[in-house]
Amino acid sequence: MGKSIAWLGVEIRPREASCNNVTTFGYVVPRPKLQQMLDTLTQLTEPPEGRLDVRVYHLAGWLACLNEQLQAWRHAYEFADNAPEVFRAVDDHAHRRVQRLLARVTRKTYSQLNRLYRQRLPRGFFTWQVDGVQLVVLSARAPRAPQVRVRQPPWAQHRMSKPQDSENP
């Protein structure tokens, strides 16, 4: 296999040759970029200072802002070869950081937080919800990575097998 090329925060590299020995290319999110994402999450979820009143913080708005960043990462890296692993790491870190933030701001125990703010999603994932705003769980989203087609769909086969009429413009 050839070397990878760093470009715009990702690494473009050849994939394993398929059964027809055609080399394809994909990209991965490298470890330093993932670490940068986790550090950004840490900064975005830094609990407030103790001297400020808890009522100042609008937790639902905080989650909405955090969701914007998470969605931006999803759109940027959803087709990466290692997207499931990256999204799982981001989700785990975000879950722990939001739990810590909620505990600090609400001054509730973790068991109280689980009863009040933890929600189960339809596909079995858990998230945090405050005032109707749920923390985005990237791993719970359906994958959008394009799959390699094994055969042409019927509409494409029909179109390709039909001869072109050269006399009609």
Side-chain angles (χ1 to χ4, degrees):
M1 275 294 137
K3 293 184 178 182
S4 64
I5 299 169
W7 184 65
L8 296 177
V10 298
E11 289 182 8
I12 300 172
R13 64 182 185 183
R15 292 183 176 134
E16 293 289 324
S18 60
C19 58
N20 60 3
N21 290 328
V22 174
T23 301
T24 59
F25 292 86
Y27 73 94
V28 296
V29 178
R31 286 188 186 273
K33 182 63 179 177
L34 175 59
Q35 187 58 54
Q36 182 184 23
M37 293 164 64
L38 298 178
D39 292 344
T40 299
L41 272 177
T42 299
Q43 291 172 357
L44 291 174
T45 56
E46 192 59 39
E49 297 178 24
R51 65 178 187 264
L52 296 175
D53 191 355
V54 175
R55 293 172 293 188
V56 173
Y57 293 96
H58 184 257
L59 290 172
W62 205 326
L63 282 182
C65 290
L66 187 58
N67 285 343
E68 288 178 23
Q69 179 61 65
L70 292 169
Q71 291 287 19
W73 286 333
R74 169 150 173 94
H75 294 305
Y77 304 120
E78 65 187 332
F79 297 118
D81 292 343
N82 63 343
E85 296 85 13
V86 169
F87 292 161
R88 220 174 358 262
V90 168
D91 288 341
D92 290 346
H93 191 68
H95 187 82
R96 285 191 307 273
R97 294 297 303 178
V98 169
Q99 181 182 35
R100 183 172 179 233
L101 174 70
L102 288 171
R104 193 86 172 267
V105 170
T106 63
R107 291 180 169 71
K108 298 201 180 301
T109 65
Y110 286 151
S111 62
Q112 290 172 322
L113 290 176
N114 287 339
R115 280 195 309 275
L116 294 171
Y117 301 112
R118 194 165 186 229
Q119 296 293 315
R120 184 181 172 97
L121 297 175
R123 291 181 57 205
F125 294 89
F126 286 93
T127 191
W128 297 107
Q129 179 175 323
V130 177
D131 297 333
V133 177
Q134 286 184 345
L135 177 68
V136 169
V137 179
L138 300 178
S139 301
R141 304 284 169 124
R144 290 186 48 199
Q147 298 296 319
V148 176
R149 287 189 289 178
V150 176
R151 59 184 173 83
Q152 291 285 351
W155 59 266
Q157 291 173 355
H158 179 67
R159 177 184 270 172
M160 297 183 83
S161 64
K162 208 175 192 181
Q164 293 280 344
D165 190 5
S166 59
E167 294 180 18
N168 291 338

